[in-house]
Amino acid sequence: MKKYIVGICFSMLFFTSCSDWLNVEPKTTVKEEEVFSRELGFKEALTGAYIKMASTGLYARNLSYGFLDVLGGRYNQGTNQKDYYTFAPDPSSLVESYCESIWSNMYNIIANLNNLLYYCDKNKSVFTTPDYYEIIKGEALGLRAFLHFDLLRMYGPIYKENPGAKRIAYRTEFTKDAQSMQSSNVVVDSIIADLKKAEVLLTNTDPLRFDFPITTSEESNMEGDRFLVYRHKRMNLYAVKAMLARVYLYAGNQELAAKYANEVIDSDLFELLSNANDVLRSKEIIFSVYIDKFDQQVENMMTTTSYIVDNSVFNEIFDVANDGLNDFRVREGVSFENTPSGKRMLKYKQENVWPSLQNTVVLIRLSEMYYILAECAETPEEASNFLNSVREVRGIDPVSCTSQTVQSEIEKEYRKEFYGEGQVFFYYKRLGRPTFVNCPLQNLIESNYMFSWPENEILFGYTN
């Protein structure tokens, strides 16, 4: 069996076959027709997709502060993370289980979204609440694109170097039939097509309620349809636009990436914040997931996995030599605390958190739109202005980029801004970095960054 070096910190990972993508509880046609014979069934099915995304195997841990952040060198190698760092010829069964879980769970959600989308049009007449059809279908299409994009970013090539590589399949039907891998640029086109459809559906229908009540009393007094509040916890219109900015940048279309990033910023629905009592920076959140019983998970995380033991690693990640310790993202007692075991992340600490921010992991935030604009800027001065818009509210001095330093300054901001959110690994991979801060390997090549295919995909020829 062919074996691959996978990711940065692990190797020889094998996944489930495509027939396991739909490893869901069997349903009869009658049961499906019953579920989707009423509006409530669609709401429940869509909510179920968000709940599955918020599992620890996905965005509640592995695709946020856990697996992806480990691969991005966010923690000390060999300290509290030894189960993640595994090298041939002795791959860890635990590492294999993480990767199998990611693959199967992502496609499981996609399958259920495809089923919802099928019935959304077949039973469109059951929608009686104004805009529910457009909102539910728009969110489902946006989520399908979001999940496929992260699958591509994990299993796919370094896109700018090899856009024709066939690495994943874009699935749009609820079926167990095998589907051959598609060229990555075809997958990107499908992602953009879904996002554009979602954009049309959500325009003028999304209520755009980004509510952040500070007390339980304020929360209980919120008015309106409860299904349509807390839009930062759903695939809202501006999450779709932010995704378009993210995907166009990935595909190398800087003009459209900048266009959509500007649309998000110019909406005035979001705001860069520096409030030390708002460590998740509420009004910057464009899209996030709600995680049930997250306090229990955080308690375990804060005692086992969220440490940086080596001060030199901490100082390099947060560029302390140049920016000092006043940065909101590194400040003692705000974002980190010193303990006998090392520096511990406080981003997800649940004590004294506003009701609207409890149990929240951020998947897209406003600052990324500024970094996209910096990367697309025509001059170093323009790039500096976009970076400094964020740096100012984080409490640090402005930076003055040159044409040679623009990307390195953007990289520093990614390291600081998205700690615990899983995005820095994707940044390194998109640019094909041969190494990075706290990287366990040197002279990385494309195969080091790609997750392996499922074993059966190779055996049965679906990767040809």
Side-chain angles (χ1 to χ4, degrees):
M1 185 187 329
K2 189 173 181 180
K3 297 177 180 178
Y4 297 83
I5 297 174
V6 182
I8 302 302
C9 311
F10 57 99
S11 62
M12 294 163 52
L13 304 174
F14 309 109
F15 302 77
T16 58
S17 73
C18 62
S19 64
D20 290 327
W21 295 352
L22 302 180
N23 185 20
V24 295
E25 182 180 352
K27 298 178 181 178
T28 66
T29 303
V30 174
K31 287 184 179 179
E32 288 181 351
E33 290 287 359
E34 182 179 345
V35 169
F36 293 115
S37 65
R38 53 206 175 101
E39 199 174 70
L40 178 61
F42 286 94
K43 293 167 64 176
E44 291 174 341
L46 183 60
T47 300
Y50 288 107
I51 291 172
K52 285 176 178 283
M53 286 177 64
S55 69
T56 55
L58 296 179
Y59 296 97
R61 184 181 65 203
N62 284 349
L63 303 187
S64 53
Y65 70 85
F67 199 35
L68 282 183
D69 256 11
V70 173
L71 298 182
R74 314 300 269 160
Y75 307 105
N76 282 102
Q77 299 160 36
T79 57
N80 301 319
Q81 298 294 333
K82 62 183 180 181
D83 289 328
Y84 287 97
Y85 292 97
T86 318
F87 301 93
D90 299 308
S92 163
S93 60
L94 181 57
V95 170
E96 291 181 14
S97 72
Y98 289 147
C99 297
E100 180 178 346
S101 172
I102 291 168
W103 178 273
S104 61
N105 286 334
M106 295 279 268
Y107 275 110
N108 176 287
I109 300 169
I110 289 168
N112 283 280
L113 288 169
N114 286 338
N115 199 33
L116 183 155
L117 286 164
Y118 169 78
Y119 280 100
C120 209
D121 285 333
K122 182 180 180 182
N123 294 353
K124 183 177 179 180
S125 61
V126 308
F127 290 96
T128 57
T129 305
D131 299 331
Y132 261 32
Y133 166 80
E134 290 80 6
I135 291 171
I136 289 174
K137 185 177 180 180
E139 287 188 32
L141 285 167
L143 289 177
R144 184 168 74 181
F146 181 92
L147 294 167
H148 276 108
F149 185 56
D150 274 1
L151 281 166
L152 182 63
R153 293 200 291 177
M154 288 181 283
Y155 299 90
I158 296 175
Y159 187 84
K160 68 185 182 73
E161 298 176 1
N162 195 8
K166 296 181 178 181
R167 298 297 304 178
I168 72 166
Y170 201 92
R171 296 187 67 89
T172 58
E173 296 180 355
F174 183 76
T175 173
K176 298 185 87 170
D177 294 341
Q179 183 173 328
S180 296
M181 302 299 181
Q182 296 165 287
S183 298
S184 295
N185 52 3
V186 172
V187 172
V188 166
D189 288 344
S190 297
I191 291 167
I192 291 171
D194 268 355
L195 290 170
K196 294 291 288 182
K197 291 174 187 175
E199 181 185 23
V200 171
L201 286 163
L202 292 170
T203 298
N204 299 322
T205 60
D206 190 334
L208 300 175
R209 289 195 57 181
F210 297 94
D211 306 279
F212 293 98
I214 295 176
T215 67
T216 53
S217 175
E218 287 183 18
E219 183 181 43
S220 61
N221 289 329
M222 287 175 58
E223 298 180 353
D225 186 340
R226 304 296 288 188
F227 186 67
L228 300 179
V229 299
Y230 288 151
R231 295 300 292 166
H232 62 286
K233 295 182 178 180
R234 306 187 75 90
M235 181 55 68
N236 62 79
L237 172 62
Y238 284 93
V240 168
K241 291 178 181 290
M243 276 298 300
L244 281 163
R246 185 184 274 184
V247 175
Y248 276 125
L249 183 68
Y250 178 87
N253 190 329
Q254 293 192 341
E255 181 181 356
L256 287 177
K259 171 186 179 294
Y260 278 101
N262 272 315
E263 286 188 20
V264 175
I265 293 169
D266 293 344
S267 72
D268 291 330
L269 291 166
F270 312 98
E271 177 186 355
L272 293 170
L273 299 175
S274 60
N275 183 356
N277 295 318
D278 186 0
V279 70
L280 283 181
R281 303 188 287 281
S282 58
K283 293 183 180 180
E284 298 182 14
I285 301 173
I286 300 172
F287 180 45
S288 62
V289 289
Y290 176 89
I291 301 161
D292 189 38
K293 300 179 181 177
F294 193 41
D295 55 338
Q296 299 173 20
Q297 184 178 321
V298 169
E299 183 178 355
N300 179 63
M301 172 182 69
M302 292 183 65
T303 58
T304 59
T305 61
S306 58
Y307 290 104
I308 305 177
V309 177
D310 188 340
N311 276 331
S312 65
V313 172
F314 181 87
N315 292 341
E316 190 171 9
I317 288 174
F318 289 96
D319 199 27
V320 171
N322 293 313
D323 291 333
L325 294 170
N326 287 324
D327 192 325
F328 179 88
R329 298 163 293 190
V330 69
R331 194 176 303 168
E332 169 72 17
V334 177
S335 297
F336 285 87
E337 65 179 359
N338 287 313
T339 76
S341 300
K343 293 186 181 295
R344 182 166 62 186
M345 178 177 66
L346 298 177
K347 178 175 280 188
Y348 297 123
K349 192 175 181 180
Q350 295 296 293
E351 288 86 348
N352 302 316
V353 175
W354 302 349
S356 50
L357 294 176
Q358 288 174 345
N359 308 313
T360 298
V361 167
V362 179
L363 303 184
I364 310 176
R365 62 169 63 252
L366 180 63
S367 50
E368 183 181 350
M369 300 300 104
Y370 285 90
Y371 300 154
I372 288 173
L373 290 174
E375 201 163 333
C376 298
E378 295 183 357
T379 67
E381 292 76 18
E382 187 180 1
S384 300
N385 289 337
F386 289 124
L387 293 178
N388 290 333
S389 295
V390 182
R391 289 173 63 90
E392 180 181 1
V393 296
R394 302 297 184 251
I396 52 178
D397 293 334
V399 66
S400 182
C401 299
T402 66
S403 57
Q404 290 76 33
T405 63
V406 167
Q407 199 60 254
S408 64
E409 293 297 338
I410 294 172
E411 179 178 329
K412 291 176 185 177
E413 293 305 306
Y414 266 82
R415 290 203 308 263
K416 292 179 283 188
E417 185 72 6
F418 302 113
Y419 199 92
E421 296 179 14
Q423 293 302 316
V424 74
F425 170 77
F426 292 139
Y427 173 84
Y428 293 144
K429 179 175 179 177
R430 176 169 60 83
L431 297 178
R433 286 282 189 254
T435 191
F436 50 78
V437 171
N438 202 34
C439 180
L441 302 177
Q442 302 296 314
N443 302 316
L444 302 171
I445 59 176
E446 183 180 60
S447 60
N448 297 127
Y449 277 107
M450 292 192 299
F451 290 20
S452 287
W453 279 310
E455 178 180 355
N456 284 353
E457 299 297 335
I458 299 170
L459 292 177
F460 293 106
Y462 300 133
T463 60
N464 294 335

